[in-house]
């Protein structure tokens, strides 16, 4: 097992760039070892910059989105279009801007009781 690396970033923009580069690397390595790359997403304002960066021309064409499967690590009990929905954040910043098979998006149905 590899020891975890500590990466110190200058600011939030640097953090997003470092995370996007790491995402691209992990997705490519996973494609070599497996047919898919499974990712658990979180909500909030911190990862939004990462999601937007992954959807940008600098990164989105470097990722085989057909192999990516998105899950949510947390979600609020609200509909997907609610302003508090973590799914909504990801959809607006990333999912609506890339070509990913709908069956690769495993949204938590927070609006169901």
């Amino acid at each position: 097992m590899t020891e975890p690396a500590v990466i110190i970033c200058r600011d939030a923009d640097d953090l997003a760039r470092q995370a996007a580069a790491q995402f691209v690397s992990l997705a490519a390595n996973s494609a070599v070892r497996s047919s898919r790359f499974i990712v658990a997403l979180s909500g909030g304002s911190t990862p939004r910059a990462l999601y937007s960066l992954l959807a940008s021309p600098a990164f989105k064409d470097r990722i085989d989105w057909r192999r990516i499967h998105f899950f949510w690590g947390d979600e609020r009990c609200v509909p997907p279009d609610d302003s508090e929905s973590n799914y909504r954040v990801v959809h607006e910043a990333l999912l609506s801007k890339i070509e990913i098979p709908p069956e690769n998006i495993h949204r938590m149905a927070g609006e169901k009781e």
Side-chain angles (χ1 to χ4, degrees), residues 7-57:
I7 301 170
I8 299 172
C9 301
R10 291 183 304 277
D11 54 28
D13 289 338
D14 188 37
L15 172 62
R17 282 190 298 278
Q18 295 266 358
Q22 185 72 8
F23 186 99
V24 169
S25 176
L26 290 170
N29 289 339
S30 181
V32 170
R33 293 188 319 268
S34 173
S35 62
R36 61 187 171 179
F37 180 49
I38 299 172
V39 181
L41 302 172
S42 64
S45 59
T46 302
R48 182 186 278 270
L50 166 62
Y51 303 148
S52 295
L53 199 53
L54 288 173
S56 74

Side-chain angles (χ1 to χ4, degrees), residues 43-110:
S45 59
T46 302
R48 182 186 278 270
L50 166 62
Y51 303 148
S52 295
L53 199 53
L54 288 173
S56 74
F59 287 94
K60 80 175 184 178
D61 294 334
R62 297 168 52 195
I63 299 166
D64 183 356
W65 296 106
R66 298 169 301 165
R67 294 179 182 252
I68 310 295
H69 284 261
F70 287 123
F71 292 83
W72 277 254
D74 64 343
E75 184 56 288
R76 296 173 177 94
C77 293
V78 296
D81 58 350
D82 189 281
S83 64
E84 294 294 314
S85 171
N86 290 328
Y87 168 80
R88 180 177 173 231
V89 169
V90 178
H91 184 267
E92 288 177 352
L94 176 62
L95 299 177
S96 65
K97 296 171 174 54
I98 61 173
E99 292 186 31
I100 185 167
E103 62 269 17
N104 291 14
I105 299 169
H106 308 279
R107 177 181 86 79
M108 293 173 71

